[in-house]
Amino acid sequence: MYDKHSKRAAEFIDHEEISRTVDYARAHRNDLPLLLAALERAEAGEGLPHREAALLLECTDEQINERIYALARRIKERIYGNRIVLFAPLYLSNYCVNGCTYCPYHASNHTMPRRQLTQQQIEREVTALQDMGHKRLALETGEHPLNSMEYLLESIRTIYSIRHRNGAIRRVNVNIAATTVENYRRLADAGIGTYILFQETYHRENYERLHPYGPKSDYAWHTEAMDRAMAGGIDDVGLGVLFGLSGYLYDFTGLLMHAEHLEAACGVGPHTISVPRICPADDIDPAAFTDALPDAIFRKIVALIRIAVPYTGMIVSTRESPAVRGQVLSLGISQISGASNTSVGGYDDEDHDERNTAQFDLSDRRTLDEIVAWLLDRGYVPSFCTACYRLGRTGDRFMSLVKRGKIADCCGPNALMTLSEYLIDYASEETRRKGEALIEREAARVPDERVRAKLREYLAAIGRGERDFRF
């Protein structure tokens, strides 16, 4: 029985409720009064329940769809403005005991070379990332005894300790396998930012077929991980599905139900939602997955997640092409990876191994400077900000600011200061010229006179070589 307050996966992700929602959405997809009522409710920017969001996703009326996209743009602009946060993944190890059939790290893939970075190699990787200008990382590992919590915690300490010229990693997010409350407590104590775990698919039967062996094959253990993470003191968690493993409407509905559950049962919804799609990788052919997602549906899913869960950050990775990434920025995306490498040891030339250890193929291979310049050309503020994490604006404190439309009061100036740091320390001359012009325009638009004056003071200090100011 469906119960969003329950801590049991079978109840807060109830198969019958999802099936009823899918049937309802398909039966009423062009019921104009219902569609208009859902849009009117969404206009307030307070979100939509999963059933109404699913109804809008299935709608084929072009006028309604245009209203959906327009509303998503307005909500994105109202809450997150024109800021786009940049980060990079750092793969520590591809050793894995799981049998995930869509991932080349699966244990039975004997053509995949296996690597685990030493602390010295991690230092070189992080130095290379700092030389690009990155301030925020997402750690990735397979699930294996070698990738112990002790190894991960040591790696986090190493990353935070590295200071290279003006470089420093200010926030480490973590994407690792589901674990215990005690281990989540240790991660919280280590000062991580967001704990990220993709559900892959919410369809239990498909999930178990796609995960034939290994700890990850336990659907309930995996699905209930975010509850344990919050119980362990991690304020910010990130959800995601790998679209293409099951029917998109089923997984879209399950994803929203998971967000509703976290808010109901834990008091705060997901800090981020990621929207990866199945893509080519070593020994993985996307054509084998018959539910692969076309671009048009992908764009609409992004728009409707933004409408249904307006407060959440939304992430799109370099799985997507520059063209697709450009299309979804205005529809809801607030974070993108830049200059990503999904190989173990892929950033530093000394560590780079010619043998392929990549988890998936990249569709966007631009440098970080090229991506920053691209964002500037589109009128976005590339942001390397991590201030909320370090000032305790996490969990319900962050969500309260977002829901009241107040997060821009601090995020806007912080984004401009971190962009200024990037331009001075790392950017090409052309990118720096574009960025400085944008900073001048955006700084003049800061509404609070005192904040505007302080921002100009901080920007001047950054120009003199000082770093790491924040509101």
Side-chain angles (χ1 to χ4, degrees):
M1 179 179 292
Y2 176 53
D3 180 2
K4 66 181 180 181
H5 296 276
S6 172
K7 296 286 188 174
R8 296 184 65 245
E11 294 176 349
F12 66 78
I13 304 294
D14 177 63
H15 173 73
E16 294 303 322
E17 171 61 19
I18 298 179
S19 297
R20 287 190 295 268
T21 295
V22 169
D23 291 343
Y24 173 84
R26 288 175 176 163
H28 299 282
R29 67 179 72 193
N30 289 318
D31 187 324
L32 194 58
L34 287 176
L35 293 165
L36 291 174
L39 280 172
E40 184 176 351
R41 175 171 177 164
E43 282 284 353
E46 296 178 358
L48 275 182
H50 60 268
R51 186 162 293 196
E52 288 183 277
L55 172 69
L56 290 172
L57 181 55
E58 283 300 279
C59 171
T60 60
D61 184 293
E62 285 306 313
Q63 289 185 321
I64 295 293
N65 286 340
E66 286 306 313
R67 288 187 59 176
I68 289 169
Y69 293 128
L71 177 57
R73 293 185 185 100
R74 290 198 299 275
I75 292 174
K76 163 73 188 308
E77 174 65 26
R78 185 162 70 239
I79 294 178
Y80 285 96
N82 60 348
R83 302 178 304 282
I84 301 293
V85 172
L86 290 155
F87 73 96
L90 175 57
Y91 283 75
L92 301 181
S93 171
N94 64 352
Y95 283 97
C96 195
V97 299
N98 288 311
C100 313
T101 61
Y102 51 85
C103 176
Y105 289 1
H106 63 85
S108 58
N109 182 4
H110 300 299
T111 66
M112 169 69 72
R114 304 292 173 168
R115 297 191 70 194
Q116 183 193 56
L117 298 181
T118 65
Q119 298 306 307
Q120 292 73 28
Q121 289 171 325
I122 290 172
E123 184 171 350
R124 291 196 293 270
E125 288 286 290
V126 171
T127 298
L129 284 159
Q130 288 177 354
D131 277 339
M132 294 181 202
H134 277 295
K135 305 295 184 188
R136 178 192 302 232
L137 301 183
L139 295 191
E140 315 270 354
T141 72
E143 187 169 11
H144 191 279
L146 286 173
N147 307 328
S148 65
M149 184 56 59
E150 286 68 27
Y151 169 74
L152 187 65
L153 293 172
E154 183 183 9
S155 300
I156 292 170
R157 288 193 294 271
T158 296
I159 292 166
Y160 278 141
S161 72
I162 298 166
R163 298 291 184 273
H164 175 63
R165 294 189 290 206
N166 281 334
I169 301 302
R170 296 172 179 169
R171 187 52 50 201
V172 174
N173 298 332
V174 174
N175 183 353
I176 61 165
T179 187
T180 63
V181 172
E182 178 54 33
N183 278 338
Y184 288 126
R185 188 170 291 115
R186 297 172 73 187
L187 286 172
D189 291 344
I192 72 162
T194 304
Y195 172 67
I196 303 162
L197 183 66
F198 296 167
Q199 179 62 28
E200 317 301 4
T201 178
Y202 286 95
H203 193 290
R204 184 168 191 148
E205 183 179 332
N206 285 351
Y207 182 96
E208 291 173 349
R209 176 178 55 82
L210 292 161
H211 303 90
Y213 59 85
K216 193 171 177 177
S217 64
D218 187 334
Y219 176 89
W221 174 255
H222 188 84
T223 310
E224 295 162 6
M226 295 310 188
D227 295 81
R228 296 195 300 277
M230 288 189 170
I234 295 176
D235 288 336
D236 293 339
V237 298
L239 302 180
V241 294
L242 183 54
F243 283 104
L245 298 183
S246 295
Y248 69 85
L249 185 56
Y250 192 103
D251 275 338
F252 172 81
T253 303
L255 181 63
L256 296 188
M257 287 169 66
H258 203 165
E260 291 166 1
H261 158 72
L262 291 176
E263 188 149 22
C266 302
V268 59
H271 186 69
T272 60
I273 292 177
S274 299
V275 286
R277 291 190 283 180
I278 190 74
C279 72
D282 181 87
D283 95 334
I284 303 298
D285 179 6
F289 296 88
T290 58
D291 289 312
L293 198 64
D295 288 352
I297 297 297
F298 179 70
R299 291 192 295 270
K300 196 172 181 185
I301 283 173
V302 169
L304 281 164
I305 291 174
R306 172 53 63 217
I307 290 169
V309 198
Y311 56 79
T312 194
M314 288 187 67
I315 301 173
V316 68
S317 77
T318 46
R319 288 174 181 264
E320 300 297 338
S321 69
V324 170
R325 288 185 0 139
Q327 291 166 3
V328 297
L329 284 177
S330 66
L331 296 177
I333 297 300
S334 58
Q335 298 185 29
I336 64 172
S337 51
S340 298
N341 195 303
T342 66
S343 297
V344 180
Y347 292 107
D348 178 64
D349 289 338
E350 186 176 342
D351 290 332
H352 186 70
D353 194 319
E354 291 302 321
R355 298 170 301 167
N356 183 27
T357 60
Q359 189 184 35
F360 57 85
D361 293 349
L362 304 180
S363 294
D364 188 345
R365 296 182 175 274
R366 292 173 294 177
T367 67
L368 185 59
D369 188 77
E370 288 171 334
I371 289 177
V372 169
W374 172 71
L375 290 171
L376 291 168
D377 287 340
R378 289 169 168 265
Y380 292 105
V381 178
S383 174
F384 298 85
C385 179
T386 59
C388 285
Y389 293 116
R390 293 185 293 152
L391 292 173
R393 290 193 295 259
T394 58
D396 57 357
R397 295 171 294 285
F398 176 84
M399 292 301 176
S400 175
L401 288 170
V402 171
K403 291 177 181 180
R404 290 186 287 117
K406 297 294 185 182
I407 196 65
D409 294 348
C410 47
C411 287
N414 286 335
L416 295 177
M417 291 188 295
T418 60
L419 174 59
S420 180
E421 290 179 343
Y422 173 83
L423 296 174
I424 292 169
D425 293 339
Y426 307 105
S428 66
E429 186 59 36
E430 178 65 12
T431 300
R432 182 173 179 175
R433 181 187 62 77
K434 294 176 182 178
E436 288 175 344
L438 180 138
I439 289 172
E440 185 61 32
R441 292 195 304 270
E442 293 291 327
R445 295 172 183 165
V446 172
D448 187 294
E449 184 177 347
R450 290 171 299 177
V451 173
R452 188 166 63 249
K454 197 68 176 176
L455 171 61
R456 293 197 180 280
E457 178 185 324
Y458 287 155
L459 287 170
I462 290 169
R464 295 192 299 270
E466 298 179 54
R467 294 293 178 270
D468 201 15
F469 297 98
R470 52 191 183 268
F471 285 94

